[in-house]
Amino acid sequence: MSKKGELKRKIGDLEREIEALEKKRARSQSALMTAMLKKEKPDPADEEYFRVFTALIDGARDEMRAAIAELENLKKKKS
């Protein structure tokens, strides 16, 4: 498979991964918001899940940005 094809596939995979992680993070985010609205202390597990999923999403986004930049560079070189 060509380098361009590999990068396009990687970008697509990362987009799907980010969507899945955002759905998981939304669950803990809603639990945190509910606790805040009820003026209760949030469950530490929900806080940790939110932090972990946020870090994973940030890492995947950084990786996707790098892959997009590399793909754009390949397109410019071929032009």
Side-chain angles (χ1 to χ4, degrees):
M1 184 181 269
S2 71
K3 184 69 173 171
K4 276 185 178 179
E6 289 176 23
L7 287 170
K8 287 179 183 179
R9 182 171 159 227
K10 181 178 183 177
I11 291 166
D13 290 345
L14 287 166
E15 287 174 343
R16 286 185 291 281
E17 179 183 346
I18 290 168
E19 284 180 30
L21 290 169
E22 285 175 338
K23 287 178 185 176
K24 291 177 183 179
R25 180 177 69 173
R27 292 184 202 130
S28 59
Q29 185 177 17
S30 66
L32 293 173
M33 290 297 295
T34 300
M36 187 175 84
L37 291 172
K38 290 182 176 181
K39 299 185 192 269
E40 298 174 350
K41 181 162 175 37
D43 184 348
D46 290 327
E47 292 176 334
E48 185 61 23
Y49 282 130
F50 184 80
R51 284 189 199 104
V52 168
F53 286 125
T54 299
L56 291 171
I57 290 166
D58 290 344
R61 284 184 180 151
D62 290 343
E63 191 175 344
M64 189 170 73
R65 281 187 206 103
I68 290 170
E70 188 175 348
L71 180 61
E72 291 300 318
N73 285 337
L74 283 176
K75 287 180 180 178
K76 286 179 185 175
K77 288 181 182 177
K78 301 244 175 168
S79 297

